[in-house]
Amino acid sequence: MTDRDPAGATDPATPHLAVIGAGPAGLAAAVAAAARGVRVTLIDSAAAAGGQFYRQPAPELRARRPQALHHQWRAWERLRDGLAAHVEAGQVRHLTEHHVWFVERLPGGRFSVHALLGPEQRDPAEVRADAVLLATGGYEKVLPFPGWTLPGVVTAGGAQAMLKGSLAVSGRTAVVAGTGPLLLPVATGLAAAGVEVAALVESADPKAFLRRTRALVAQPAKVAEGARYAAELLRHRVRALARHTVVEAHGTERLEAVTVAALDVDGRARPGTGRRIPCDTLAVGHGMLPHTDLAETLGCGLDGLAVRVDDEQRTDVPGVWAAGETTGIGGAALSLAEGHIAGRSAAARLRGARPDPDGWAAAAKARSRLRAFFTALDSVYAPPARWTDRITDDTVVCRCEEVTGGAIRAAVVELGAGDARTVKLLTRAGMGWCQGRVCGPSVAGLAGCELAVSRRPFARPVPLGVLARAGENRVDENEDG
């Protein structure tokens, strides 16, 4: 399938922007660009717009109050209605269940976006555009510990997605653990759904917030949001254990309990503080990482693990913008601000006009303050310094290839591996289906090196038949031209 003029209801001579990702950043960008006379194709892997943050229950569930699962419902309604209006007017075409695996730069400065269609991701699709805006979001970081592979152990975001998307929970008694602001809405959401949340286990030290008061005071709405979550935890009688961590999950067929322990000032589990908490669900997470696969294949520069952008959200590749979590983890409000700026900038430059920064001054101001706020949060919500101590030699670290902590330590200590790539070559850690996205932070931690971006040729697995057909089409085009 080839879609070279997807917004066919408008003049094909009108500049065409492909926006990849329909979460907060992608939606804000698509609406902003379409409102300024640019044809937009919004490409997303989900069946409906919203991304993880605005994930909606399936229509078949007939949820009576879906807004109860969200705390920014009005923002979602504005985006949803704005998108619908532009789709009806022919300015935007929204392609759902399109799993983008590669973005190709074409001669003349245009781009070809390659995707796989449907849940089975087999049939190919291609969208050609004059520019590309990457709003590919982020994914969760989970650090392993003994028992983390038991059924009943899920990521914090996975528990939230299950609740938002299917109104379901994985058990009756839950522990929410790890570190990061995501734990608060997960714990309160599960409690509101009738789950007994036995404990919220947060490894961060609350005193660390006192050293970040300037950034916190600059975002009173965020502070109020945190206070509301705290009040909900109190109302549902959820026990909060600060400066604690899960050291082991127990069970045979599935999760039955977890052991948590207090942390000392060095991030070690303090001897004698362990306590066993019965539960059938453990929702665990240790922050998020940016999705940068498509940006990397395009040659976009990175700042650390995030895509580098300028004040207009432009990458250093001409014709490519980026917004949202792919440029650095910072939540929905920051994603909205960045998406709005990126959409306006892309629209102006595609039409040959000079961008007007005054038009996005409010968004730029919000972006600056929110970036400072989340930089402060990152320093507070860093995983415990000695978290690798809790990975035993028989703990599976790479689930795809079943590589244990002991095998990785042996590669480092006995075989001299000093980086994650060498560990991968010696142990196969990171060679499986997820290509190191899950185990990458753990392997780097055990190897004693910084987590580095793994450059991959494609953003997701691709059937060989699709690659063969893409190659044949490229040959045909070369012969024709």
Side-chain angles (χ1 to χ4, degrees):
M1 172 183 172
T2 300
D3 190 347
R4 302 193 180 180
D5 181 24
T10 61
D11 183 359
T14 303
H16 179 203
L17 174 68
V19 177
I20 303 174
L27 287 171
V31 170
R36 285 154 184 85
V38 172
R39 291 186 300 139
V40 177
T41 299
L42 180 61
I43 308 168
D44 192 55
S45 60
Q52 169 64 18
F53 188 79
Y54 294 125
R55 184 184 291 268
Q56 304 294 307
E60 295 80 8
L61 296 176
R62 299 180 181 177
R64 289 178 293 178
R65 294 183 64 251
Q67 62 269 32
L69 301 172
H70 299 269
H71 66 276
Q72 292 185 11
W73 187 256
R74 290 184 179 178
W76 158 246
E77 288 182 321
R78 288 194 296 269
L79 289 171
R80 179 196 63 195
D81 295 346
L83 176 65
H86 287 302
V87 169
E88 185 176 357
Q91 282 296 114
V92 175
R93 185 176 182 186
H94 180 199
L95 302 181
T96 61
E97 295 188 324
H98 278 57
H99 306 264
V100 177
W101 57 273
F102 187 61
V103 179
E104 178 183 11
R105 281 193 284 179
L106 301 174
R110 301 192 78 223
F111 297 87
S112 177
V113 180
H114 297 271
L116 300 173
L117 298 180
E120 295 187 1
Q121 302 181 38
R122 291 201 171 275
D123 295 327
E126 181 186 1
V127 173
R128 295 199 174 185
D130 300 301
V132 171
L133 196 155
L134 304 174
T136 48
Y139 62 100
E140 279 191 277
K141 177 171 66 176
V142 179
L143 304 177
F145 48 86
W148 77 298
T149 58
L150 281 169
V153 180
V154 298
T155 66
Q160 187 182 59
M162 192 184 307
L163 184 59
K164 286 183 175 182
S166 60
L167 305 180
V169 295
S170 62
R172 297 181 178 181
T173 305
V175 169
V176 179
T179 189
L182 178 61
L183 302 188
L184 290 172
V186 171
T188 55
L190 290 175
V195 177
E196 178 189 351
V197 180
L200 171 60
V201 183
E202 169 60 69
S203 65
D205 185 351
K207 295 178 183 177
F209 287 102
L210 299 178
R211 297 188 293 270
R212 306 290 185 272
T213 53
R214 178 177 295 183
L216 298 179
V217 169
Q219 288 294 318
K222 286 293 182 182
V223 175
E225 181 183 320
R228 287 194 296 271
Y229 283 131
E232 283 295 300
L233 293 176
L234 286 173
R235 188 169 72 85
H236 290 287
R237 298 180 180 180
V238 176
R239 177 174 44 174
L241 299 174
R243 202 65 185 146
H244 279 67
T245 190
V246 172
V247 295
E248 187 172 359
H250 310 281
T252 50
E253 298 294 324
R254 61 167 290 117
L255 179 70
E256 298 171 4
V258 298
T259 294
V260 304
L263 295 168
D264 64 18
V265 293
D266 295 321
R268 296 184 178 91
R270 288 167 49 195
T273 63
R275 66 177 80 178
R276 189 182 178 104
I277 303 176
C279 60
D280 55 17
T281 296
L282 171 61
V284 61
H286 299 91
M288 295 186 67
L289 297 169
H291 262 306
T292 60
D293 292 341
L294 294 176
E296 292 165 48
T297 60
L298 281 165
C300 300
L302 303 180
D303 281 333
L305 301 175
V307 179
R308 183 190 307 126
V309 292
D310 65 9
D311 289 343
E312 294 183 33
Q313 299 296 135
R314 292 181 298 174
T315 73
D316 49 16
V317 174
V320 179
W321 282 255
E325 309 282 40
T326 191
T327 68
I329 304 303
L334 177 56
S335 294
L336 290 172
E338 292 186 352
H340 181 76
I341 294 169
R344 291 183 66 127
S345 169
R349 294 196 175 273
L350 281 171
R351 298 183 67 194
R354 188 171 183 176
D356 178 18
D358 291 340
W360 63 67
K365 186 176 181 180
R367 176 181 62 184
S368 178
R369 289 182 174 178
L370 285 165
R371 283 179 177 172
F373 177 80
F374 279 96
T375 297
L377 285 192
D378 283 345
S379 65
V380 172
Y381 286 122
R386 302 302 295 264
W387 61 267
T388 55
D389 292 352
R390 290 179 284 284
I391 301 177
T392 62
D393 283 349
D394 59 355
T395 299
V396 172
V397 173
C398 174
R399 301 178 70 164
C400 297
E401 296 293 326
E402 298 184 350
V403 181
T404 64
I408 295 171
R409 287 191 175 103
V412 174
V413 176
E414 299 173 14
L415 301 177
D419 57 73
R421 177 176 174 79
T422 305
V423 171
K424 177 179 180 179
L425 294 174
L426 294 172
T427 67
R428 295 190 59 82
M431 288 190 180
W433 184 262
C434 83
Q435 287 292 285
R437 291 172 178 85
V438 176
C439 68
S442 307
V443 172
L446 288 169
C449 64
E450 291 291 327
L451 177 62
V453 173
S454 298
R455 297 194 176 276
R456 308 175 181 94
F458 306 130
R460 63 179 63 245
V462 186
L464 288 177
V466 171
L467 290 178
R469 276 177 280 175
E472 291 171 0
N473 292 339
R474 186 63 60 240
V475 170
D476 290 342
E477 289 178 5
N478 290 337
E479 290 176 350
D480 291 342

